Amino acid sequence: GGLMSRVDSAASWLSNLPFGGSHKTYPPPSSDSMRGIGDKTKRYYDLRQRIDEVLPEDSQRTKQRVHEELRVNRYEPIKPDELPYTVTNCPLYPPDGYPYAWPATDIVHNWPPDDTAPRPKIYQGICVFDYETEMEKAKIYREAEVPFVVRDDPQVLRTAERWNHPGYMMDLMSDTPHRTEYSPNNHFMYWMAENPNKKKQREKRGQARHPKFPTPPEGWKPPTKMLRMPYEEWLGHANTTDDKLGPDNPHWYYRLIGCGAQGRCDKDSSEYLFDELPFFQPRDDQLFIVEPHRQKGIHCRFGMTGVVAENHFDGSRNAIAVMGGERRYILAHPEQCPKMALYPKDHPSARHSAVDWSQPDLELYPEFAEARANEIVLQAGDVLYLPTNWFHFIVSLTLNFQCNTRSGISSHYMPPMKECGFF
């Protein structure tokens, strides 16, 4: 009944659908589709008609299935008496000092990042709002630019149910290859190497180094390899036995990109993401989209159990939805920047912490001993709102489906980041 068994189906349950679509425009694939963006091919239209027949809209059935079949574990605050609020019944306005934080070393000692076994008690400091009864609170916290989680948005639940239906993801992505990161262990850190063509062009023109491109330190090597593969191939790597999931074994991290209004931003982009995730469409009335005209597409990352995305910050607002499996997020306020031992702006992994949170070396990075953070485990149907410049360290506790979108930049947290040497 878990996610692995649901997606481990190579035989297509919609094998008779035509592939490739055509230039003809078809009716909207669903009532949630948006004019001007999304997948308008016959293939996707037929796919959605078929799945919607199998899973007709029924919010109560969907909610019950997600709760009973996809949310296996329960997590509670480890020290509720220390919190000046209850995370599942937060006040209307963010309390002073929200969100509460603890020493980051306590968090990773209580639950080492390389250990994916659930912990019933965690250092949770951010609020979880029910979509149906606490929308007003969520909007106020968003306006205040603080992190929070919204649970049980009917549209998110419907996507979660669809994505966990046997065979659906295989049919959705077919045999199209997508970006895949490979690591010889379970740690993944973003990096950007200088484009040699750009370098040659600048040398010809006698221009100075463009600040966008990093300066790799001597001896630096990319921490991961960039590949492309179909979903079924990635799933074959990810859906493996426990003895091959240890931190020192190879891991693969899958990625989809829907470009939307940006136009062509990726080879074989997954424009159907705007139909699959209508709650991330660039509309004015969306809770998770603050500035629709500044949206930077939809990005999905599918993690195999044990994948660690190293601590970093993003320079824009982020909304992060989980449609299956579990992801652990350790969050830290931007004011913690001086304690994060970040790589400098010109490093290939700028914005990322040099500290290995799995085994923090406090002799090499003594400042990390003073860092404070909190954590939250996201499950199917959860959406995390993460303001600009907030730090996040991510652990895939199980095989999981996660998508995010960014929508503009808030200036709330620029001062501490400038003091830290960024911007």
Side-chain angles (χ1 to χ4, degrees), residues 29 33-41 44 260 271-275:
S33 294
M34 184 176 179
R35 181 185 296 273
I37 59 172
D39 191 328
K40 310 304 181 187
T41 63
Y44 182 67
E271 296 310 301
Y272 49 73
L273 291 175
F274 287 91
D275 304 290

Side-chain angles (χ1 to χ4, degrees), residues 14 17 43-51 168 172:
L14 297 173
L17 288 184
R43 177 184 178 276
Y44 182 67
Y45 173 82
D46 288 345
L47 177 69
R48 284 300 300 268
Q49 297 308 300
R50 189 72 67 88
I51 188 66
Y168 181 71
L172 178 64

Side-chain angles (χ1 to χ4, degrees), residues 97-274:
Y98 175 87
Y100 198 86
W102 295 264
T105 50
D106 288 355
I107 296 174
V108 298
H109 176 74
N110 175 65
W111 192 359
D114 285 341
D115 183 356
T116 58
R119 298 291 195 277
K121 303 287 187 179
I122 63 175
Y123 286 90
Q124 182 175 339
I126 68 171
C127 296
V128 177
F129 298 127
D130 177 74
Y131 181 88
E132 293 182 1
T133 62
E134 297 181 293
M135 180 63 75
E136 183 183 5
K137 291 182 183 178
K139 290 179 178 178
I140 290 172
Y141 279 59
R142 192 191 78 168
E143 185 70 21
E145 291 290 354
V146 292
F148 60 89
V149 167
V150 170
R151 181 161 289 172
D152 290 341
D153 178 335
Q155 286 188 326
V156 182
L157 294 175
R158 185 154 171 76
T159 301
E161 182 185 33
R162 189 166 58 245
W163 281 22
N164 286 278
H165 189 83
Y168 181 71
M169 296 300 276
M170 201 78 72
D171 287 291
L172 178 64
M173 286 175 277
S174 187
D175 57 358
T176 303
H178 293 288
R179 296 188 190 192
T180 309
E181 290 180 66
Y182 165 83
S183 173
N185 52 54
N186 67 325
H187 287 254
F188 288 76
M189 182 179 291
Y190 171 84
W191 58 273
M192 183 176 70
E194 180 162 11
N195 185 329
N197 295 326
K198 294 280 186 180
K199 183 177 180 182
K200 290 177 182 178
Q201 291 172 8
R202 287 198 306 276
E203 287 175 349
K204 284 183 180 180
R205 296 194 297 263
Q207 294 179 347
R209 175 180 293 277
H210 191 286
K212 178 179 178 182
F213 295 101
T215 306
E218 187 174 350
W220 178 86
K221 294 182 179 179
T224 60
K225 290 183 179 179
M226 302 299 180
L227 311 171
R228 295 187 81 91
M229 64 179 62
Y231 173 76
E232 184 176 0
E233 183 179 347
W234 171 80
L235 189 62
H237 291 302
N239 203 2
T240 188
T241 54
D242 289 346
D243 61 306
K244 296 181 180 179
L245 286 173
D248 296 323
N249 288 321
H251 283 68
W252 288 262
Y253 208 7
Y254 204 59
R255 184 175 182 183
L256 306 178
I257 301 175
C259 302
Q262 295 182 99
R264 187 174 177 82
C265 68
D266 185 53
K267 182 181 178 182
D268 297 319
S269 63
S270 305
E271 296 310 301
Y272 49 73
L273 291 175
F274 287 91

Side-chain angles (χ1 to χ4, degrees), residues 281-299:
Q281 291 171 353
R283 300 178 186 270
D284 290 329
D285 58 349
Q286 298 278 45
L287 174 63
F288 308 119
I289 306 292
V290 181
E291 297 181 81
H293 63 289
R294 295 183 182 274
Q295 186 187 37
K296 299 297 183 183
I298 297 175
H299 297 251

Side-chain angles (χ1 to χ4, degrees), residues 2-3 8 24 78 140 248 302 353 374 388 415:
L3 177 60
D8 189 21
K24 181 180 177 181
I78 194 169
I140 290 172
D248 296 323
F302 300 169
S353 176
N374 56 70
T388 305

Side-chain angles (χ1 to χ4, degrees), residues 15-87:
S15 57
N16 294 323
L17 288 184
F19 175 68
S22 72
H23 294 294
K24 181 180 177 181
T25 299
Y26 287 81
S30 79
S31 60
D32 293 325
S33 294
M34 184 176 179
R35 181 185 296 273
I37 59 172
D39 191 328
K40 310 304 181 187
T41 63
K42 183 178 190 302
R43 177 184 178 276
Y44 182 67
Y45 173 82
D46 288 345
L47 177 69
R48 284 300 300 268
Q49 297 308 300
R50 189 72 67 88
I51 188 66
D52 289 343
E53 288 179 7
V54 175
L55 298 175
E57 190 165 352
D58 182 338
S59 59
Q60 288 302 113
R61 180 209 67 226
T62 298
K63 186 174 182 178
Q64 183 176 348
R65 279 189 178 177
V66 171
H67 280 228
E68 294 179 356
E69 301 176 17
L70 301 182
R71 293 185 190 162
V72 179
N73 301 306
R74 295 292 178 265
Y75 300 90
E76 297 178 356
I78 194 169
K79 296 181 178 180
D81 294 342
E82 291 186 6
L83 287 168
Y85 51 90
T86 303
V87 295

